[in-house]
Amino acid sequence: LHVRSRRQRQMCIRDSVYAVDDPLGSPSVQQVTVSVPTYSQPSNPPQMGTTNRPELFEARFWSAVLRNGKLWATHHQGAPARQRWYEFDMAGWPQSGQTPTLVQSGDIDAGTGVSTYFGSLWVNDAGAMAMTFAMSSANSFISMARTSRAAADPLGTTGMIQTVISSTSPETSGRWGDYSATNDDPAQPGKFWAHH
């Protein structure tokens, strides 16, 4: 599945979801649009100790997983940048002919002036979601952070943000963190592994 922003209409954006069947043989492509809350291109995040800001590129999806008929995806957006996540009920699409719908979405808000970005997520068989992302502000170096949610948590919410590790100096290359990953441990249900 491939998802991209298509067009803006009033208070929502219609995103395109593509299914590619038989990509290594005789590929065929199907497309459907799904409405999501409005979002904007992300602003490059500040960090302590330098005026250099990591390049966030655009509001494309950085991570997605299809599990138990649900598509989960995440991207960063807005100013300050916020990591946003979504859960879509695929309703058996494309085989069913039904249109997928948005179940829930949420932004990772770490407080005033704090940006969250370059996230990855994963969902296990029980419907628990874990996310890893970068975080920084004008008063903090870039850090690796995480959050999660259980399937029974209120819609659109995640747990507390936890810092995994903080940098001890500013990053001045202009690049940071567009290579994170989060996965569940198949041998230990409920455990997730992540890197950033």
Side-chain angles (χ1 to χ4, degrees):
L1 294 173
H2 172 68
V3 187
R4 71 176 176 86
S5 173
R6 185 169 181 188
R7 59 183 177 263
Q8 187 169 348
R9 287 186 178 172
Q10 296 176 350
M11 294 305 291
C12 70
I13 291 179
R14 298 188 53 83
D15 277 349
S16 294
V17 180
Y18 294 87
V20 181
D21 294 318
D22 195 16
L24 301 178
S26 299
S28 63
V29 178
Q30 296 184 58
Q31 178 266 339
V32 67
T33 57
V34 182
S35 295
V36 299
T38 298
Y39 61 84
S40 60
Q41 295 301 321
S43 62
N44 293 335
Q47 56 174 321
M48 187 167 67
T50 182
T51 57
N52 289 354
R53 293 179 174 225
E55 173 63 50
L56 296 192
F57 309 106
E58 68 279 334
R60 65 182 171 199
F61 283 113
W62 291 93
S63 176
V65 60
L66 185 63
R67 181 63 68 99
N68 298 328
K70 306 289 179 70
L71 175 66
W72 294 75
T74 186
H75 67 98
H76 46 234
Q77 61 84 34
R82 296 278 191 259
Q83 196 65 37
R84 178 172 291 175
W85 58 272
Y86 304 87
E87 178 190 8
F88 300 97
D89 183 347
M90 298 307 290
W93 183 85
Q95 291 81 11
S96 70
Q98 301 296 312
T99 300
T101 56
L102 177 67
V103 175
Q104 61 176 325
S105 65
D107 289 344
I108 305 302
D109 185 347
T112 303
V114 181
S115 297
T116 57
Y117 49 97
F118 285 135
S120 61
L121 59 71
W122 196 259
V123 179
N124 66 15
D125 275 334
M129 183 269 283
M131 179 184 289
T132 309
F133 51 92
M135 183 169 66
S136 68
S137 72
N139 300 314
S140 62
F141 298 127
I142 299 173
S143 60
M144 175 183 172
R146 65 181 178 161
T147 190
S148 61
R149 61 169 280 113
D153 287 347
L155 293 178
T157 65
T158 57
M160 289 182 57
I161 295 170
Q162 298 177 317
T163 300
V164 177
I165 190 167
S166 296
S167 297
T168 57
S169 62
E171 172 56 51
T172 58
S173 71
R175 293 292 302 274
W176 179 271
D178 50 343
Y179 43 77
S180 104
T182 307
N183 293 94
D184 66 329
D185 189 327
Q188 301 182 69
K191 180 177 278 190
F192 289 85
W193 295 90
H195 75 79
H196 205 290

